[in-house]
Amino acid sequence: MDKNSILRQLPKMDTLLEESCLDVLGKSIRANVAKVVLDNIRSDILSDLLTVVPSNDEILSQILKLGQLQARGLQRVINATGIVLHTNLGRAPLAENVARYAAEMSLSYSTLEFDLETGGRGSRMAGLEAQLTNLTGAEAALAVNNNAAAVLLVLSALCAGGEVVVSRGELVEIGGSFRVPEVIAQGGAILREVGATNSARLSDYENVIGDNTSALLKVHTSNYRIEGFTKEVDLAQLRDLAQKHNLPLIYDLGGGALIDLSHHEPTVQNLIAGGVDVLCFSGDKLLGGPQAGIILGKADLIAKMRKHPLYRALRMDKLTLAALSATLEIYEDLDEARERIPVLAMLTVTLDKLGEKAKQLYQMLSNVRNCHIEIVETMSQAGGGSLPCENFPSYAISLMPAKMSVSDLAEKLRGLYLPIIGRIHKDRLLLDVRTVDTSDFNNIAWDLQEILGN
Ligand SMILES: *Cc1c(COP(=O)(O)O)cnc(C)c1O
């Protein structure tokens, strides 16, 4: 039978949508998913991957399966982009025991705000604060929902009504909606810019400090770097200046590495030891934990934040608290952290190991037809606005399909039950093995055989 006659046997979309078994799906999801499923079948017929139209029952079950997945808030995906902290894919995957502990704490009641000794109300932050201060050397600590919330709370509690002095080279935008000048305004403070885009001197800061100055703010330019003729004031000089005028030195670090990953990324412990009064960073960037904003600093300043009404609105929930606490526990042994925290393991794995991983996946693809497959060298990224100029050499499986376009292949992989997200580069689809767990290799091999033919 020719392809057009086969295509004519496909059920009509409207007829399918009337089937009562699809009533469990919302109206718009039902229509969207039915279209995806029919489109897939149509393109499989056109590319000879299918020679008969699947039964109505089979089509309906495909629509149901995909629809039920999409009706949920989240779907698991395989990240083959090589971007370790992929913000759109959920940044840091958690270590296994971390996720298990969070699940356990959520399945029952817990001591979230209960003191077992007195039988009365306890502090939500007590345990976490002890962990954070022990690990970092800070006097006190507080945690909120994310780092954007942390910066907002710091500014609102310490700087409202006053001027915040920032270098013009550090007026950062992160991910579209977090912009330092706007957050300062939202915190009720007044931005006082100093220096130029590429240079700020100590005297620039000194000249603007006055009666209305409430803090010096340093922002880590975590997602870009200015190169060429640049001048930045030493942290020690800034600290001395802040102390001389009795002002807090606030540092928005963004990344929050507790382990030395690169000379461009200062560690949290070094900054605290260097005299930063308030330091805040994300829980789900280089720390490798859940989404959170961690604030470290002098006890009197942290106390002001804890008492601020915004804190109640931004406070962390018990699932996150459990996950963050279990993540920090791993850091008690830094070598163990490097191995067991997925983000750190992915960022520090050797090129040799990545080569072996690529070879393993390549061999599992030996049955895949209609596609030129090879192992290629590539560059992974830290992502999440972290370590922007750092190179992470890696290996990828490069796919050049013979009977469909690269973008069609990418789309089909995204449409899978367990979607595989790759990266298109020079008309090939690359699957970077750095961010793929070997336990997913079987899935990838099987799906590629299904899509491309064997
Ligand atoms: C990422 C980042 C933020 C925002 O942190 P979230 O945890 O995403 O809210 C703020 N400041 C800097 C410097 C950052 O790198």
Side-chain angles (χ1 to χ4, degrees):
M1 211 180 338
D2 70 89
K3 287 178 193 172
N4 281 330
S5 339
I6 304 176
L7 283 175
R8 271 196 293 275
Q9 293 174 1
L10 264 178
K12 290 271 170 305
M13 170 100 147
D14 293 342
T15 329
L16 279 177
L17 291 178
E18 274 164 23
E19 295 281 351
S20 58
C21 70
L22 296 184
D23 287 352
V24 289
L25 302 176
K27 233 183 183 164
S28 68
I29 285 183
R30 208 183 316 166
N32 287 341
V33 173
K35 182 175 178 312
V36 171
V37 169
L38 286 177
D39 282 352
N40 274 343
I41 296 173
R42 212 169 279 127
S43 77
D44 283 353
I45 292 170
L46 289 173
S47 54
D48 290 323
L49 292 170
L50 264 182
T51 49
V52 288
V53 166
S55 70
N56 260 23
D57 281 353
E58 167 61 25
I59 295 176
L60 286 169
S61 106
Q62 282 186 30
I63 295 174
L64 261 180
K65 206 162 90 176
L66 199 59
Q68 275 163 350
L69 276 177
Q70 297 201 351
R72 292 208 181 146
L74 288 175
Q75 224 180 311
R76 176 165 121 75
V77 301
I78 294 175
N79 173 11
T81 63
I83 301 169
V84 176
L85 295 167
H86 198 303
T87 298
N88 303 142
L89 300 182
R91 284 199 190 152
L94 298 178
E96 207 172 308
N97 67 316
V98 169
R100 207 174 298 128
Y101 180 67
E104 231 171 76
M105 287 306 111
S106 69
L107 281 169
S108 71
Y109 296 101
S110 63
T111 55
L112 183 65
E113 286 188 359
F114 187 77
D115 188 329
L116 287 173
E117 238 166 76
T118 63
R121 184 172 176 164
S123 146
R124 180 179 290 248
M125 278 294 137
L128 195 68
E129 181 173 28
Q131 283 184 297
L132 282 166
T133 51
N134 280 340
L135 276 173
T136 63
E139 269 180 27
L142 193 62
V144 289
N145 279 327
N146 50 45
N147 191 37
V151 178
L152 182 63
L153 178 60
V154 171
L155 292 167
S156 305
L158 305 184
C159 307
E163 285 183 0
V164 177
V165 186
V166 194
S167 159
R168 285 202 167 85
E170 298 172 6
L171 297 173
V172 178
E173 169 179 309
I174 310 275
S177 51
F178 178 92
R179 288 173 148 185
V180 169
E182 287 162 22
V183 178
I184 290 175
Q186 194 62 47
I190 301 146
L191 168 63
R192 190 67 198 253
E193 303 172 36
V194 295
T197 305
N198 58 331
S199 122
R201 298 185 181 82
L202 189 64
S203 56
D204 294 326
Y205 285 87
E206 221 158 8
N207 289 341
V208 302
I209 293 178
D211 290 345
N212 200 27
T213 308
S214 56
L216 304 188
L217 172 65
K218 193 156 173 58
V219 184
H220 187 51
T221 56
S222 45
N223 57 1
Y224 67 97
R225 183 152 346 118
I226 299 177
E227 298 202 354
F229 176 77
T230 63
K231 216 172 174 66
E232 190 183 353
V233 181
D234 235 37
L235 192 67
Q237 287 181 309
L238 267 190
R239 176 203 57 202
D240 292 346
L241 182 66
Q243 279 174 359
K244 186 171 135 199
H245 294 274
N246 203 15
L247 293 168
L249 173 59
I250 301 168
Y251 200 129
D252 173 14
L253 177 59
L258 292 181
I259 284 181
D260 198 2
L261 290 167
S262 120
H263 53 282
H264 296 298
E265 188 72 27
T267 64
V268 169
Q269 299 91 318
N270 281 345
L271 291 175
I272 292 294
V276 171
D277 297 303
V278 175
L279 176 66
C280 56
F281 56 94
S282 297
D284 57 350
K285 288 185 180 170
L286 295 170
L287 189 74
Q291 180 188 301
I294 294 161
I295 311 173
L296 305 175
K298 297 271 150 59
D300 57 329
L301 302 176
I302 296 286
K304 279 189 190 168
M305 296 172 213
R306 207 186 307 255
K307 277 186 224 128
H308 194 278
L310 250 190
Y311 170 62
R312 175 63 179 76
L314 304 175
R315 74 177 184 188
M316 173 175 268
D317 90 300
K318 64 180 177 195
L319 270 173
T320 313
L321 202 151
L324 182 57
S325 173
T327 303
L328 293 172
E329 200 180 310
I330 303 179
Y331 275 98
E332 278 160 27
D333 180 337
L334 294 185
D335 288 327
E336 201 174 307
R338 224 178 275 264
E339 273 171 37
R340 282 184 43 212
I341 298 206
V343 166
L344 295 180
M346 286 188 272
L347 285 173
T348 60
V349 62
T350 63
L351 189 59
D352 277 353
K353 279 256 167 65
L354 292 170
E356 284 166 28
K357 234 174 135 180
K359 218 175 281 170
Q360 188 190 344
L361 178 55
Y362 178 81
Q363 280 160 1
M364 291 168 79
L365 301 180
S366 60
N367 287 329
V368 177
R369 300 285 170 256
N370 306 314
C371 189
H372 180 69
I373 304 177
E374 60 184 332
I375 298 176
V376 296
E377 290 174 8
T378 188
M379 284 289 175
S380 315
Q381 290 169 40
S386 303
L387 311 175
C389 304
E390 223 65 35
N391 284 329
F392 292 93
S394 181
Y395 288 102
I397 300 294
S398 151
L399 302 165
M400 224 187 339
K403 295 189 174 171
M404 64 178 88
S405 69
V406 173
S407 59
D408 278 352
L409 176 60
E411 189 184 323
K412 278 177 182 289
L413 290 174
R414 287 199 306 274
L416 288 166
Y417 182 75
L418 173 53
I420 299 167
I421 317 296
R423 183 159 51 90
I424 293 178
H425 179 69
K426 291 191 178 160
D427 222 25
R428 290 146 183 259
L429 185 67
L430 300 187
L431 306 179
D432 187 328
V433 294
R434 182 188 297 271
T435 46
V436 181
D437 199 86
T438 46
S439 62
D440 283 327
F441 282 2
N442 257 327
N443 257 315
I444 295 177
W446 200 85
D447 286 332
L448 283 174
Q449 269 186 46
E450 276 284 301
I451 289 172
L452 293 160
N454 54 13

